[in-house]
């Protein structure tokens, strides 16, 4: 007997996405945003299906994503931040809370939350992941959000 396979398609037509971007290290997050918008537009999203929300930094992302998720308006949320290690343990607190909080938002709301909060030791490592050597993690996160939004629609349609 053949097994069934369920997979989300990379088609953003008719879907609505919120992008939460951190202003901290905006030289990086603006590039992540350009990558995310490129992915959404290339897969058929329309401009009125995309909302960009700027927040001060990655710390503020979970509460913002929670609000967006609870609006029931979005098929997916894409979070773009850059936490770059400094001389103090601040990095660990900001990066840790952003990761944990965004994971909780996805689990509690059922809305896919794509995580492109870079956590790097140097600015160069962040640049490499924001459109240089290692691609653009904003683009990748948007593709993940599109796939997951379509997957959720399929799974909910099976109930
Ligand atoms: N926010 C970031 O997004 N990246 C960082 O590297 C960072 N550092 O290093 O401090 C950062 N801090 C700000 C933080 O997100 C809050 O905006 C701030 O603490 C006010 O609540």
């Amino acid at each position: 007997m053949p097994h069934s396979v369920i997979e989300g398609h990379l088609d953003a037509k008719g879907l609505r996405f919120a992008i939460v971007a951190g202003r901290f290290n905006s030289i990086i997050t603006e590039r992540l945003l350009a990558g995310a918008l490129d992915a959404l537009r290339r897969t058929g999203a329309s401009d009125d299906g995309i909302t960009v929300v700027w927040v001060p930094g990655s710390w503020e992302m979970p509460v913002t994503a929670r609000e967006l998720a609870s609006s029931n308006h979005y098929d997916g949320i894409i979070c773009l931040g850059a936490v770059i290690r400094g001389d103090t343990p601040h990095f660990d607190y900001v990066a840790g809370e952003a990761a944990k909080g965004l994971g909780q938002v996805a689990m509690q709301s059922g809305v896919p939350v794509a995580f492109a909060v870079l956590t790097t030791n140097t600015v160069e490592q962040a640049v490499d992941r924001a459109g240089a050597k290692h691609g653009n993690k904003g683009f990748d996160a948007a593709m993940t959000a599109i796939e997951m939004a379509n997957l959720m629609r399929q799974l909910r349609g099976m109930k």
Side-chain angles (χ1 to χ4, degrees):
M1 197 170 121
H3 60 275
S4 57
V5 176
I6 306 171
E7 223 176 355
H9 304 295
L10 292 172
D11 179 4
K13 198 158 174 264
L15 298 179
R16 292 182 298 205
F17 294 93
I19 301 175
V20 183
R23 273 196 305 272
F24 208 101
N25 293 320
S26 64
I27 192 156
I28 303 296
T29 58
E30 276 167 12
R31 295 182 192 195
L32 296 175
L33 176 60
L37 291 172
D38 185 32
L40 291 172
R41 289 177 180 140
R42 283 201 207 192
T43 53
S46 61
D47 278 348
D48 59 12
I50 304 171
T51 304
V52 178
V53 182
W54 283 97
V55 295
S58 300
W59 178 270
E60 282 73 31
M61 285 184 191
V63 70
T64 309
R66 191 183 69 161
E67 206 60 36
L68 291 164
S70 68
S71 73
N72 287 324
H73 188 75
Y74 298 104
D75 298 289
I77 300 173
I78 301 154
C79 295
L80 311 175
V83 194
I84 301 174
R85 195 180 286 281
D87 296 331
T88 70
H90 193 65
F91 170 98
D92 300 293
Y93 292 101
V94 174
E97 286 305 308
K100 190 175 76 186
L102 291 173
Q104 281 173 352
V105 171
M107 290 300 290
Q108 285 164 10
S109 66
V111 178
V113 177
F115 185 75
V117 178
L118 304 182
T119 53
T120 63
N121 292 324
T122 65
V123 174
E124 191 191 1
Q125 287 173 341
V127 169
D128 285 346
R129 289 158 181 77
K133 270 191 219 161
H134 293 287
N136 187 314
K137 300 299 176 191
F139 184 98
D140 296 348
M143 294 299 263
T144 296
I146 296 158
E147 179 174 340
M148 288 301 295
N150 281 304
L151 178 63
M152 290 295 152
R153 285 201 167 189
Q154 283 187 60
L155 295 177
R156 284 171 191 148
M158 291 169 70
K159 280 180 192 164

